[in-house]
Amino acid sequence: MLPHTGLETRDLACERGGKTLFEGLNLSVSPGQSLHLQGDNGSGKTSLLRLLCGLAVPLVGQVLWAGQPTTQAREDFLRDMLYLGHALALKEGLSALENLQFAAALSGQPWVPDAAVQALHQMGLRGREHLPLQILSQGQKRRVALARLGLSPARLWLLDEPFVALDSAACGVLQGLMQTHVARGGMVVFTSHQAVNLASGDNRSHRLGRA
Amino acid sequence: MSALWSLLRRDLLLALRRPSEVLTVVFFFVVVAALFPLAVGPERATLRMLAPGVLWVGALLASLLALNRLFEADHHDGTLEQMLLSGTPLTLLVVAKIAAHWVLCGLPLVLLAPLLGVLFDLSGDALGVLALSLLIGTPVLSCIGAIGAALTLGLRGGGVLLALLVLPLFVPVLVFGAGAVEALAAGLGSGAHLSILMALLLLSGLFSPWACAQALRIALE
């Protein structure tokens, strides 16, 4: 058998507040696949994403990246992974471009201003590149955070509720981004309450919690 | 390395755009130092005797003011998560955070102290030693304080707990910092005190970023 080149979980279990959210979870995402995590409020979607990216340590089980536990091959994994959580990691006092520049520096990417402007335009933020974030709306802030997707070389995207607060146009753009990423051999794991139709590619979904 | 610089640059830029926090620290220090001579009276010998203690206590409390905000904003808006997930070790990123905090809340105190020392009729030599002791001592306060800030991150009423945690650890810095100026006035020379301060700086500078990183990891889990 060829070694797995994507993300796998083995017997993953998660407990929160003394209650087991899930256990024995075996998921697998290979290049060119997307995984839509579904579940009711409190079913552990966000907890699972935090386990996958390594922000939380699993109670039982392992997360594997390219066949290696992410705790061991952590640097390789972090270079290949982009996590966007509920909190957008944006600074109100900085402009959209400055925020992207900082995000790029933090993840060790080269800074190409033209590409960043392009990414912001793609997210429908033309003319707002230099405005401080505090005067943008909630949805526009989320668009700024999502512009990172277009700039990052990461192969694996872990997106926590990326469609929240977006209007239908922006949802369309985001779906397009996810589709292209998957079509290029990337991987996307995301949570969302709404139905997401990625037209092409190998799209799976997994429902957490007891149905 | 570039991550470190941009984190430092970002913190300075944010403070520049919203300077109220830094100004509060500086204002507090200036007010404490300026009110003391008024309250104590114009007796020069008394003022000279009080000066090192008052200025050092003022600087210590002023630097405590901004401490609980050190990691709070980054924790709140999710930047801390991204810092943890960036390829750069968290320990190094914490160094940048502490450095930014010192430049914003420590360095102004060092620069202002000689000016305020004049209010207490300190001699030129004493002013120099005062500034030097603060220059070595305030980074220690930032380093130790950062551990407290990281440990109390996300707690309600964390500010009080933070003060309780770090004040005992601030005491040696205060004793040797103020002691340096007093020793000079007593004709003993300030070298020994400054050396001990330097040792404290090396120790806390080495230990603090690592401890902060561990505490932040726990806070985020």
Side-chain angles (χ1 to χ4, degrees), chain A residues 178-192:
Chain A
M178 286 161 68
Q179 245 168 54
T180 352
H181 184 62
V182 169
R184 280 195 202 132
M187 287 157 266
V188 184
V189 180
F190 64 102
T191 66
S192 177

Side-chain angles (χ1 to χ4, degrees), chain A residues 50 53 55-57 74 78 81 83 87-95 98 101-102 105-106 134 148, chain B residues 2-3 6-7 9-10 13-14 17-18 73-74 76-79 81-86 88 93 220-221:
Chain A
R50 288 175 66 87
C53 70
L55 278 175
V57 181
R74 188 146 175 83
L78 290 179
M81 188 269 298
Y83 168 75
L88 298 175
L90 300 173
K91 288 285 167 201
E92 301 261 302
L94 300 180
S95 73
E98 286 165 335
Q101 184 176 14
F102 175 67
L106 200 58
Q134 60 208 12
R148 283 180 58 199
Chain B
S2 75
S6 50
L7 182 57
R9 212 182 68 96
R10 185 209 66 168
L13 191 65
L14 283 171
R17 291 196 183 156
R18 207 173 289 175
D74 282 337
H76 185 72
D77 66 22
T79 309
E81 287 178 349
Q82 296 294 336
M83 281 163 63
L84 204 70
L85 296 177
S86 86
T88 317
L93 294 174
L220 279 178
E221 225 172 70

Side-chain angles (χ1 to χ4, degrees), chain A residues 32 34 178-180 182-183 197-203:
Chain A
S34 74
M178 286 161 68
Q179 245 168 54
T180 352
V182 169
N197 293 312
L198 299 176
S200 59
D202 185 357
N203 308 302

Side-chain angles (χ1 to χ4, degrees), chain B residues 25-92:
Chain B
V25 172
V26 172
F27 183 71
F28 177 85
F29 183 52
V30 172
V31 166
V32 168
L35 286 182
F36 251 91
L38 295 176
V40 173
E43 189 61 50
R44 285 185 175 193
T46 321
L47 284 178
R48 240 175 306 194
M49 196 186 71
L50 281 177
V54 168
L55 289 170
W56 254 95
V57 169
L60 187 147
L61 292 178
S63 70
L64 194 63
L65 272 183
L67 262 186
N68 62 339
R69 311 265 309 141
L70 180 53
F71 297 111
E72 201 180 72
D74 282 337
H75 180 52
H76 185 72
D77 66 22
T79 309
L80 211 53
E81 287 178 349
Q82 296 294 336
M83 281 163 63
L84 204 70
L85 296 177
S86 86
T88 317
L90 187 60
T91 315
L92 290 180

